[in-house]
Amino acid sequence: MKNKKNILTIISICIFFCSFKSENYFESSKSFIVEDKPNYLALYGEYIFKRESCNNCHTFNQTKDTSFVSLDGLKGKYPASWHYNNFIDPQLFAPDSKMPPYFVLFDQKLNQSIFKQIYPNQKLSDWELLLSQAKLIQKSIQEDGETVESDTEVLALIEFLNNIPQSKELQKLDSLKNIQMKMKESIWLNEISDDNSGVYKVISDKNSSIIGKEIFKSNCAVCHGENGEGMIGPNLTDSYWLSGGDQKSIIKSIVYGNPEKGSIPWAYILEPKEVGQLVGYINSIKGSNPKNAKPKQGIKE
Ligand code: HEC
Ligand code: HEC
C-alpha cells in the first residue's frame, strides 16, 4: 500500500514537471501564431525532436556541461534554409560536427493521426492550419534556392527550433552583457571627447609604438597587412584617409569601426590604453612605404 502511494507521488511529480516543461513551449508557441491558438506545427516539431532523441546531445538551457550543445534562445537565430542544410549535412557549418544527418525528416510526411495524439482535442481546421504553416516554411526554404517537398517532417522540426525562446538565465546574461556594453560605450564617449584622457596620453608614450605593433599584428594585420600596407582594409601608412587622419579620427575609426564596410568596432574588445598604443604604432609607420602597398584611398591630409 505504501509502495503504491510512493509510486503515485512520483508519477504526479513527473506529470507536474513534464507538463510544466511542455507548457513552456506551448506558451511561447501560443504567442507566435493567431491569438488563442497554439503553434501546432511547432508542437509537432517538438514531438519529432523527442522521437529522434535530439536531446541526447542538446539541452534548452545554458549548462556548464559541455557534452551538451544548448539550443537556448534559438528563436530567430537562423533562417529555415540553414536548418534544412544542417539536417542534410551538419559538417557544412561545423566541419568536425558529431551531429548525424537526418534524411528521415525529408522522407516522412506529417501525419494527421500522429497530430491527433500530440493534440487530442483538435478540429479539422487545426490540421489545415498546421499544413498552411508548413507551406510557409517550405516557401521560405524555396526562396533561398533549395528544394523541399511539401508536408515533410523537417518543416515541423524547423518551426519548433525557430521558436525555442530564451531561458530566464540567458535573458539575464544578455541584459548583463547589454549593461556592460553600455558602460563601455559611455567610457569611450568620455575618452574620445576629453583631449586629456588616457587614450590620448598613451599615444606619445615611449613604448606605445612597440607594444602597439604587437597588438596590431594579432588583431589588425589580417585586414591591414603585416606592416599596415593594406589588404581588405586600407593602407595605414600613406597620407590618404577615408575617415580622417587626425588623432581623434583614427581613434574613432578603431573604436567604432564601420561595420557596413567590413571594419570592426573595437570598443568592446580593446581597452583605451591598447587603442592609444595602436595609434602610437600607426603614427610610427606613417610614410614608411612598405612593400605591396595598397593604392591610396580617401582624402589626402
Ligand atoms: C550526436 C550528437 C547530436 C545529435 C544526436 C544531434 N545533434 Fe544537433 N548538434 C550537435 C553538435 C555537437 C552541434 C554543434 C555544432 C557541431 O559541432 O555540429 C549541434 C548543432 C545543432 C544546431 C545548431 C545550434 C546552434 O546554435 O548553432 C541545431 C539547430 C541542432 N544541432 C539541432 C539538432 C536536432 C533538431 C537534432 C535531432 C533531430 C540534433 N541536433 C541531433 C550534436 C548533435
Ligand atoms: C576584418 C577586417 C579588419 C580588421 C580586423 C581591422 N580593420 Fe581597420 N578597417 C577595415 C576596413 C574594411 C576599413 C575601411 C572602412 C571604410 O571603408 O570606411 C578599415 C579602416 C580602418 C581605419 C581608418 C582608415 C582610414 O582610411 O580612415 C583605421 C585607423 C583602422 N581600420 C585601424 C584598424 C586597427 C588598429 C585594427 C586592429 C585593432 C583594425 N583596423 C582591424 C578592416 C579591418
Side-chain angles (χ1 to χ4, degrees):
M1 194 56 201
K2 207 175 165 212
N3 242 345
K4 202 171 169 191
K5 207 175 154 200
N6 278 348
I7 291 175
L8 278 177
T9 319
I10 291 173
I11 290 178
S12 54
I13 291 176
C14 178
I15 289 176
F16 173 75
F17 275 105
C18 301
S19 63
F20 178 72
K21 202 176 160 221
S22 64
E23 196 171 87
N24 232 338
Y25 286 110
F26 202 82
E27 284 223 319
S28 69
S29 321
K30 224 158 86 179
S31 64
F32 174 69
I33 221 175
V34 211
E35 288 143 50
D36 301 334
K37 287 219 166 109
N39 185 336
Y40 299 128
L41 193 62
L43 285 176
Y44 202 121
E46 185 179 16
Y47 152 82
I48 300 170
F49 191 90
K50 289 179 186 153
R51 188 194 69 202
E52 296 298 326
S53 304
C54 305
N55 48 359
N56 281 349
C57 299
H58 291 293
T59 62
F60 298 119
N61 284 312
Q62 300 297 92
T63 58
K64 293 207 173 65
D65 185 349
T66 49
S67 54
F68 288 97
V69 175
S70 167
L71 301 179
D72 200 347
L74 201 63
K75 184 171 181 158
K77 183 171 171 187
Y78 298 117
S81 56
W82 188 95
H83 291 292
Y84 165 96
N85 282 306
N86 195 41
F87 287 133
I88 294 175
D89 181 10
Q91 294 180 345
L92 203 66
F93 300 113
D96 305 320
S97 184
K98 301 271 182 309
M99 179 164 151
Y102 282 93
F103 299 117
V104 62
L105 302 171
F106 298 88
D107 296 336
Q108 281 181 190
K109 294 268 180 180
L110 299 165
N111 177 316
Q112 196 177 0
S113 55
I114 291 178
F115 182 48
K116 281 229 163 78
Q117 291 165 31
I118 300 168
Y119 193 69
N121 290 327
Q122 59 179 270
K123 300 192 220 73
L124 181 63
S125 60
D126 295 337
W127 172 245
E128 282 162 359
L129 185 57
L130 180 149
L131 292 179
S132 65
Q133 283 186 274
K135 288 230 157 50
L136 283 179
I137 310 281
Q138 184 194 17
K139 193 165 160 246
S140 130
I141 293 174
Q142 283 169 341
E143 277 168 2
D144 284 347
E146 313 284 1
T147 40
V148 60
E149 278 189 55
S150 56
D151 309 341
T152 41
E153 285 190 339
V154 69
L155 303 169
L157 190 54
I158 291 176
E159 178 70 1
F160 170 65
L161 295 170
N162 260 337
N163 278 283
I164 297 174
Q166 277 199 334
S167 66
K168 289 236 158 58
E169 299 93 85
L170 191 63
Q171 275 172 17
K172 257 195 222 149
L173 270 178
D174 260 18
S175 62
L176 201 73
K177 238 203 247 153
N178 263 335
I179 293 172
Q180 284 169 342
M181 281 171 81
K182 290 252 149 59
M183 276 169 63
K184 286 232 155 160
E185 278 162 24
S186 77
I187 289 175
W188 275 116
L189 217 60
N190 288 334
E191 286 282 337
I192 291 173
S193 60
D194 176 4
D195 291 348
N196 292 314
S197 71
V199 65
Y200 291 103
K201 282 195 182 131
V202 176
I203 295 175
S204 49
D205 271 6
K206 250 196 353 258
N207 292 326
S208 276
S209 63
I210 299 162
I211 304 170
K213 184 176 182 168
E214 294 309 310
I215 306 174
F216 189 89
K217 272 193 177 155
S218 43
N219 295 289
C220 325
V222 272
C223 293
H224 289 283
E226 274 301 296
N227 301 305
E229 70 273 19
M231 283 163 64
I232 300 165
N235 180 346
L236 298 177
T237 66
D238 60 13
S239 42
Y240 290 82
W241 297 91
L242 288 163
S243 308
D246 60 292
Q247 304 292 271
K248 186 182 237 163
S249 302
I250 295 179
I251 294 172
K252 276 184 163 174
S253 289
I254 300 173
V255 170
Y256 298 121
N258 188 356
E260 276 166 31
K261 294 274 166 68
S263 169
I264 301 167
W266 292 90
Y268 313 105
I269 304 164
L270 296 175
E271 298 301 324
K273 191 171 169 186
E274 295 169 306
V275 172
Q277 288 160 338
L278 279 167
V279 179
Y281 170 65
I282 292 172
N283 289 345
S284 78
I285 56 176
K286 193 172 175 144
S288 58
N289 280 323
K291 261 191 273 170
N292 305 322
K294 194 176 176 186
K296 61 187 182 199
Q297 289 170 279
I299 296 164
K300 188 173 168 66
E301 290 192 19

